[in-house]
Amino acid sequence: MTTTREQIEQGLVQNRESPNGSARNAHAEALVGAAEASGDRALFRETLDNLINAYLYSSESSKILVPFARLLQEYDKDPAAFSEWEAHSLFWQFKWVASAISDSPDIPLESAAGWLDEMERRYRVAGYSERPVREAELWLAHTTGDDERAERAFGRWIAADRDDMSDCQACELNSQGQYAVLHGDDAQALELWKPVLASDLTCAEEPHRVLATSLLPLLRLGRADEARSHHLRGYRMARGNESLLPTIGKHIEFCALTGNESRGLEILAEHAHHVGPLANVDDQLAFHGGVLVLLRRLERLGHGGSPAVPYEGTPRTVSELYGILYADCLGIARRFDTRNGTTRISDRFLERIGREPLLGALPLGVRSAALPHDGAAAAPTPVRLPASAVSAAMPGFEELVERARRARDLGHPGTDALWAEVGVRLDARPEPDPLVSADLEDQRALAAARRGDEDARELLTAVRDTYRALGREERAALAELRLAGVAARAGAAPAEIRALFRVAARAAEALDPAEPSRTRRIALVELSVIRVESYLRSLEAPHDHDHDGAHGRGEVVAELTDFVTAYAGSAPDLAAEAEEMAGRLALSQGDPDRAVVLLASAAERAVTAGRPWQAVDPLALRAGVLMSLGRPVEAEAAARSGLAHASEVTDAEAQGAIRLTLADVLLRRGDAVREAAGHALSGAHWFDQAGLTADGGAQARLMLARAYARDGRTAEAAEVLQSALPDLLEHGEEQVVSAREFLGDLLRELGESRPAAEQYLLAAEAAKGWENPRPQAHLAHSAAEALAGAGLALEATAAYERALDLYRLTGDAPVPEIRVLRSLAWLGLREEVTDPAVDRARELMAEAARVLETALAADPDDRELRSELAQTWHQLAQVLDRRVSEDVAADDAEDDADTGEETAADESADRPEAVGRLGEARVEALRVEEIELWDRAAALYAELGPDHLRDRFQCLNNAAWTEQERGRPEAGAARVSALVDEVRAWPEDAVPDWLLPSAEHLRKQLAG
């Protein structure tokens, strides 16, 4: 460690800018040692203060006692050596010390009370309110189980006046709300927290902490949507912040209690380096307590043998880590109890980790990987039964079988679940019914066929033979048809497939004419043949495009039309299938108007046939087509109808698709973003259940992020989109560019300029090979603005220059081109306003004006170009004004130095050399030029009319004040009077309310 004053001061600057954590703390400790060795007492005090702040915002906050005690000794030795600010800081830190003592079980209760008494004495002597003292007393009394004293302290805390030593209002409301929760009043706590949760009151750690603390109260009050929002916002704020580990623990606990265990594991993994002993054992108890809630829940779900995170570098399973953390935390809690003479801390710890889930599953919107499985993992969740499939009371076996058969014949989505229950109960019967056994085998063979299992054909053959042996030819005929379908899906030769279909047709036709299902069996074969024949022809003649083209599709449409006519009455559900197929073909033929008619008819037929679930797919597709046709009202009606009919659907993908469709329709409508968000959120959840997280789930999350962004919920939108980004990057180049740009916009709005710039640059790279350079130019431009916002001038300049080159490649982008030129001009003035920088800015502004003048020569009436030209003159005048202002400031600094004002002289020492002196003649020339430019811009704004009145007034205002600086206030006042006279001649309703009062105020200032 270096020891000169300058080196230590530089070290302090670097330390304050370093990330919170042990590395910063170690450096701060070394600075204290170096300062103490130097003998410079002022510098020593500064390093002690820095060390206290470093400890506070880390997991080592309990260490502040030692440097604070040393700083207090310095104050007692020589109070006069402390500046007003240093003394205020010392007294402010007393509150941190009080918390650290209360949170340190190894500090005797007598010592803790002594420190509290000392704080009270010093505050009273210094004239500060007792408010912070009483708050500290409240929490110490509560910890020790002295509830009467705690209640008295609470009353005195609230009654005491606020002053300079009071905590910020956000922190105070946090504490008051926590006290209400401890007394079982969640509603009161949330009412107290309202201004913090709304970000009306904020500080360095609020609303981060309150957002996390509000999660369980919200859940207990049934306000799950708000809890979800607070988790997404709050975790984003707290992530990676070492001083907020207790807050991180609350987010992990929330995930464990809402069916989001995988999300909890991911959060734990992000903070795995803190899974071990911490210097602040109170933080350790709070953070690890939340982790234990998660680990206990994972054990309950059968994941005890799954890997968790390492403990002090050693890999651990869920059960192993639970055992270690439980022992550590219980030991800490009992150390508190020993000191406090009560079991309150251990009781509260045990109560916390024993909590049961508050919700079975609360979709969060963010993507989370599936839980890891081990051999002991719980069995898969059974298929959900629709409400109409079974009654609340479990039926008898014979009734159950009849329900299963009716559901099968209807094609009901709950069929599989019913037969699964039949199978379970059949195994317990002493003499199974052969027909029931055959039906079960039929259902299993069908499931194998759907999955594409290799033994599906063998299973179906056995089922066919069994049915025939039992005299159930109508079921055997259906098995024949399924055999043909399995062969087609397996890629059998066309001749073999056709032969199997002929067998199926003969089996159907051979049924007794009195058999109720005969017509349906024949129709099924016909529809299946129509569906597969085009495919077979393409296999036989792969280079013959006739059947794949309009003619081939036309034949299929004709066949489907004939089918609908033939079976509309006898098999309406099959007619609905045929019409849906025809609708899809119409779309492929470029006839969306015909498609929407056919899809509507297909849905109506399905509903009429008593199979509303069959209407969901055609309605979802119809909604999308209607949106493409610019018919949003009909699209919304179709999507809502589809969602209503989906109540019986057990297929998770279908549930996700209809919700995604409705979310898209509502989001495009523009005034239903919250409902759109709800459907997108639900859609993402269903896609996850279907194992389609990376496909439909990613699209649903993108939709959800857009809905959140439209609703002003930017942090939630960013959190959702970032979680889905890895999946979206696999969805094609256009999706990559769109998603990254959207994320960049969100991050930029959140003030995260560097990561925003990274997203823009990655998006620009993805668009690099596109024929049209405009998208890449726009992205480079956005990146440049984000980099400039992050203070990275060199990188921003490079990005601006790249954007400029790309805009010029388009040949038709004068407005974005000149905006880049103006941004480059201002960027060059950011560090210092030197003559070379001003000259460069002048050149860039002049170049921008030339670009606009050239464009206006081709289109003189373009209002946007004319407005941008006026803005360019306006900004050039501002650049010149900056140069003059720097020169005037240097003059003032020299005058201060001449009058003995040492501080001002020190501050101005480098200015004359950096800026260069102008001299009176040049200052006057620049001011005249400024006025000319503002007058020129104002004249152009006047030509553009009332829409640009505010810009015009700003130019006039600037010119007037510059005239005043030239000693010509009457010239500025004349400009104002001319504008006033002009607007008074306008119709009264054409004059904005602000204009005349502003003009009068300006005239008075110029005259004064």
Side-chain angles (χ1 to χ4, degrees):
M1 169 62 68
T2 51
T3 56
T4 68
R5 179 181 179 85
E6 292 75 16
Q7 291 169 329
I8 295 171
E9 287 178 338
Q10 182 60 37
L12 283 169
V13 171
Q14 293 172 351
N15 190 256
R16 288 167 184 145
E17 294 175 352
S18 299
N20 297 327
S22 56
R24 179 191 176 193
N25 295 349
H27 184 208
E29 290 165 357
L31 289 170
V32 169
E36 185 174 23
S38 73
D40 188 324
R41 308 312 297 173
L43 189 59
F44 178 53
R45 294 194 301 272
E46 187 176 359
T47 58
L48 284 172
D49 180 80
N50 176 71
L51 179 58
I52 293 168
N53 280 275
Y55 281 151
L56 179 70
Y57 293 105
S58 74
S59 62
E60 299 178 327
S61 57
S62 58
K63 291 184 177 182
I64 66 174
L65 295 173
V66 172
F68 178 78
R70 299 184 73 185
L71 191 57
L72 192 61
Q73 288 175 353
E74 292 291 310
Y75 180 80
D76 289 339
K77 288 176 184 176
D78 187 6
F82 281 63
S83 68
E84 182 179 350
W85 181 89
E86 288 173 327
H88 183 278
S89 177
L90 176 70
F91 278 87
W92 185 271
Q93 289 164 354
F94 242 119
K95 298 182 297 181
W96 302 344
V97 170
S99 295
I101 290 171
S102 178
D103 296 343
S104 302
D106 298 326
I107 295 179
L109 211 51
E110 296 76 13
S111 297
W115 271 99
L116 190 61
D117 291 342
E118 182 69 7
M119 177 183 178
E120 181 176 11
R121 183 185 68 80
R122 287 180 181 266
Y123 271 40
R124 185 173 58 252
V125 170
Y128 291 122
S129 167
E130 69 169 346
R131 192 176 180 95
V133 180
R134 300 284 77 87
E135 182 182 3
E137 180 186 7
L138 160 69
W139 293 116
L140 181 61
H142 174 76
T143 299
T144 59
D146 191 345
D147 292 334
E148 286 188 17
R149 184 182 180 189
E151 191 63 25
R152 286 196 305 273
F154 179 79
R156 293 177 67 184
W157 169 29
I158 300 302
D161 293 333
R162 287 183 55 81
D163 64 4
D164 288 347
M165 209 46 60
S166 299
D167 279 344
C168 77
Q169 286 184 283
C171 288
E172 281 203 340
L173 289 176
N174 178 357
S175 293
Q176 291 169 24
Q178 288 192 57
Y179 192 64
V181 170
L182 289 170
H183 286 75
D185 197 342
D186 291 335
Q188 174 65 14
L190 290 164
E191 187 66 27
L192 286 165
W193 289 331
K194 265 186 180 179
V196 186
L197 295 171
S199 295
D200 295 332
L201 296 174
T202 63
C203 69
E205 293 188 337
E206 297 298 357
H208 318 40
R209 296 183 302 170
V210 169
L211 284 165
T213 308
S214 71
L215 295 173
L216 298 192
L218 285 168
L219 290 176
R220 287 192 290 261
L221 292 173
R223 294 159 62 177
D225 288 342
E226 292 173 76
R228 176 195 300 112
S229 173
H230 290 189
H231 169 65
L232 294 177
R233 284 175 57 207
Y235 179 62
R236 185 175 186 83
M237 291 177 170
R239 177 192 283 127
N241 192 328
E242 192 174 278
S243 69
L244 293 177
L245 286 176
T247 297
I248 300 297
K250 290 174 183 176
H251 284 286
I252 293 173
E253 179 180 11
F254 166 79
C255 292
L257 300 179
T258 56
N260 290 286
E261 296 84 7
S262 58
R263 166 80 166 169
L265 272 177
E266 289 170 1
I267 295 174
L268 176 58
E270 290 179 354
H271 299 85
H273 52 295
H274 292 300
V275 178
L278 301 177
N280 186 332
V281 294
D282 188 63
D283 278 5
Q284 182 179 341
L285 184 61
F287 173 49
H288 289 176
V291 175
L292 282 166
V293 177
L294 172 67
L295 297 175
R296 178 176 179 270
R297 180 66 185 150
L298 289 169
E299 280 195 316
R300 291 286 187 91
L301 292 173
H303 298 285
S306 298
V309 297
Y311 180 86
E312 295 190 300
T314 302
R316 303 289 182 178
T317 65
V318 167
S319 294
E320 289 170 343
L321 185 60
Y322 180 86
I324 294 169
L325 297 187
Y326 180 87
D328 288 348
C329 287
L330 189 58
I332 292 170
R334 285 175 174 164
R335 283 164 59 194
F336 273 108
D337 289 347
T338 299
R339 182 194 75 166
N340 299 336
T342 175
T343 61
R344 171 160 289 182
I345 302 300
S346 58
D347 289 345
R348 186 162 293 156
F349 163 71
L350 293 171
E351 177 190 1
R352 181 185 189 186
I353 64 170
R355 285 173 180 156
E356 294 297 327
L358 294 167
L359 284 176
L362 175 65
L364 297 178
V366 289
R367 185 198 196 284
S368 290
L371 285 174
H373 286 277
D374 60 16
T381 303
V383 176
R384 178 179 66 91
L385 279 174
S388 64
V390 293
S391 65
M394 183 59 68
F397 181 73
E398 288 76 12
E399 185 183 349
L400 177 64
V401 171
E402 285 308 309
R403 288 189 184 187
R405 285 172 177 160
R406 285 198 302 271
R408 177 190 66 190
D409 294 342
L410 272 175
H412 195 285
T415 301
D416 290 341
L418 286 167
W419 281 113
E421 178 64 22
V422 169
V424 170
R425 294 172 67 176
L426 182 66
D427 291 340
R429 295 177 72 83
E431 296 183 9
D433 183 327
L435 183 55
V436 175
S437 297
D439 287 340
L440 274 172
E441 291 305 315
D442 182 31
Q443 198 67 21
R444 290 164 183 160
L446 177 59
R450 288 171 180 160
R451 293 191 300 267
D453 293 353
E454 292 183 3
D455 61 349
R457 190 165 184 175
E458 180 183 344
L459 292 172
L460 283 167
T461 300
V463 165
R464 177 200 62 190
D465 294 344
T466 301
Y467 275 134
R468 281 186 177 155
L470 293 171
R472 299 303 298 267
E473 290 297 333
E474 82 284 359
R475 300 301 303 172
L478 185 57
E480 294 282 17
L481 178 58
R482 288 172 177 166
L483 280 167
V486 166
R489 282 192 292 272
E496 179 186 354
I497 296 169
R498 288 195 179 97
L500 288 168
F501 273 117
R502 286 194 294 272
V503 170
R506 286 196 297 271
E509 291 164 357
L511 292 173
D512 189 322
E515 167 58 48
S517 63
R518 181 176 184 275
T519 300
R520 182 174 183 80
R521 295 288 181 265
I522 293 171
L524 268 174
V525 174
E526 289 183 19
L527 186 57
S528 299
V529 169
I530 293 172
R531 186 181 282 116
V532 81
E533 186 58 38
S534 181
Y535 162 70
L536 296 179
R537 290 172 184 170
S538 69
L539 290 179
E540 293 171 326
H543 302 296
D544 181 2
H545 299 290
D546 181 44
H547 287 289
D548 293 332
H551 177 68
R553 288 193 293 268
E555 285 183 357
V556 176
V557 169
E559 291 170 353
L560 291 169
T561 302
D562 291 343
F563 181 90
V564 171
T565 302
Y567 294 105
S570 57
D573 60 306
L574 297 182
E577 281 189 44
E579 275 196 316
E580 182 181 347
M581 289 172 60
R584 293 178 183 275
L585 280 171
L587 277 179
S588 69
Q589 291 173 316
D591 191 353
D593 290 311
R594 176 168 169 72
V596 295
V597 173
L598 289 167
L599 292 168
S601 179
E604 185 178 352
R605 288 184 193 278
V607 174
T608 302
R611 303 184 181 213
W613 53 86
Q614 190 179 320
V616 175
D617 284 349
L619 285 169
L621 181 58
R622 185 171 186 269
V625 177
L626 286 166
M627 283 302 293
S628 71
L629 293 174
R631 295 157 63 180
V633 175
E634 295 171 81
E636 182 178 338
R640 289 193 185 281
S641 180
L643 182 59
H645 293 319
S647 60
E648 300 293 320
V649 175
T650 58
D651 181 73
E653 181 179 0
Q655 291 282 2
I658 188 61
R659 284 164 170 78
L660 180 58
T661 299
L662 181 54
D664 185 26
V665 171
L666 292 173
L667 193 59
R668 294 193 197 190
R669 200 177 87 181
D671 61 349
V673 293
R674 293 196 175 179
E675 187 183 355
H679 291 303
L681 176 69
S682 181
H685 175 71
W686 279 107
F687 281 123
D688 289 346
Q689 296 298 304
L692 297 170
T693 297
D695 299 308
Q699 295 303 319
R701 287 183 172 87
L702 178 59
M703 191 78 65
L704 177 59
R706 293 197 184 283
Y708 280 161
R710 296 262 190 94
D711 198 28
R713 298 159 68 176
T714 310
E716 294 165 70
E719 193 72 8
V720 169
L721 183 56
Q722 280 182 307
S723 77
L725 189 62
D727 294 328
L728 292 169
L729 296 181
E730 302 300 320
H731 287 214
E733 211 170 62
E734 289 188 9
Q735 184 84 91
V736 169
V737 172
S738 174
R740 287 199 183 279
E741 181 181 15
F742 180 28
L743 181 55
D745 292 343
L746 294 172
L747 295 172
R748 193 169 167 197
E749 189 174 342
L750 291 169
E752 300 175 31
S753 297
R754 286 195 186 204
E758 180 184 2
Q759 292 301 324
Y760 290 135
L761 291 171
L762 289 169
E765 185 64 25
K768 198 171 185 179
W770 293 4
E771 184 177 349
N772 182 1
R774 188 184 288 269
Q776 190 186 355
H778 171 72
L779 290 163
H781 193 171
S782 297
E785 291 178 340
L787 289 164
L792 302 172
L794 290 177
E795 293 86 345
T797 299
Y800 275 128
E801 289 174 348
R802 177 60 178 155
L804 189 62
D805 291 342
L806 290 165
Y807 281 135
R808 285 172 173 166
L809 276 178
T810 69
D812 63 346
V815 171
E817 181 181 343
I818 62 94
R819 287 179 178 172
V820 170
L821 288 167
R822 293 197 307 237
S823 294
L824 281 168
W826 285 111
L827 193 61
L829 298 171
R830 177 170 291 187
E831 295 298 323
E832 51 186 11
V833 187
T834 62
D835 282 334
V838 171
D839 290 343
R840 176 60 179 158
R842 184 194 285 271
E843 290 172 8
L844 290 164
M845 292 288 188
E847 185 179 354
R850 286 194 297 273
V851 170
L852 288 165
E853 288 163 353
T854 301
L856 280 166
D859 188 0
D861 297 325
D862 189 308
R863 292 178 60 82
E864 183 181 22
L865 292 174
R866 295 170 73 196
S867 172
E868 291 292 341
L869 181 58
Q871 184 63 220
T872 302
W873 291 334
H874 187 168
Q875 290 193 31
L876 176 55
Q878 289 176 310
V879 167
L880 302 181
D881 190 60
R882 280 280 301 276
R883 180 64 183 91
V884 171
S885 297
E886 287 289 327
D887 192 73
V888 170
D891 267 343
D892 291 344
E894 285 187 353
D895 290 344
D896 288 343
D898 291 342
T899 59
E901 295 186 16
E902 185 177 342
T903 302
D906 289 343
E907 290 175 352
S908 68
D910 295 332
R911 272 186 179 162
E913 293 180 9
V915 178
R917 302 312 306 278
L918 292 174
E920 291 184 10
R922 193 168 170 209
V923 166
E924 175 66 10
L926 286 172
R927 283 175 170 162
V928 169
E929 186 178 359
E930 290 172 34
I931 293 169
E932 290 174 351
L933 286 164
W934 274 317
D935 283 344
R936 195 188 311 172
L940 189 45
Y941 283 134
E943 292 176 12
L944 290 168
D947 289 346
H948 292 270
L949 190 55
R950 193 173 290 277
D951 292 318
R952 180 184 175 190
F953 183 78
Q954 186 61 54
C955 288
L956 181 152
N957 177 81
N958 293 346
W961 280 113
T962 306
E963 291 281 25
Q964 198 265 357
E965 289 166 354
R966 294 177 64 210
R968 291 163 37 93
E970 69 284 352
R975 284 179 169 80
V976 180
S977 297
L979 178 62
V980 168
D981 292 342
E982 178 186 339
V983 299
R984 280 181 173 158
W986 296 358
E988 187 175 343
D989 60 356
V991 182
D993 294 341
W994 59 268
L995 180 57
L996 291 176
S998 298
E1000 285 301 325
H1001 180 67
L1002 177 57
R1003 280 202 293 198
K1004 287 180 181 178
Q1005 286 183 308
L1006 292 169

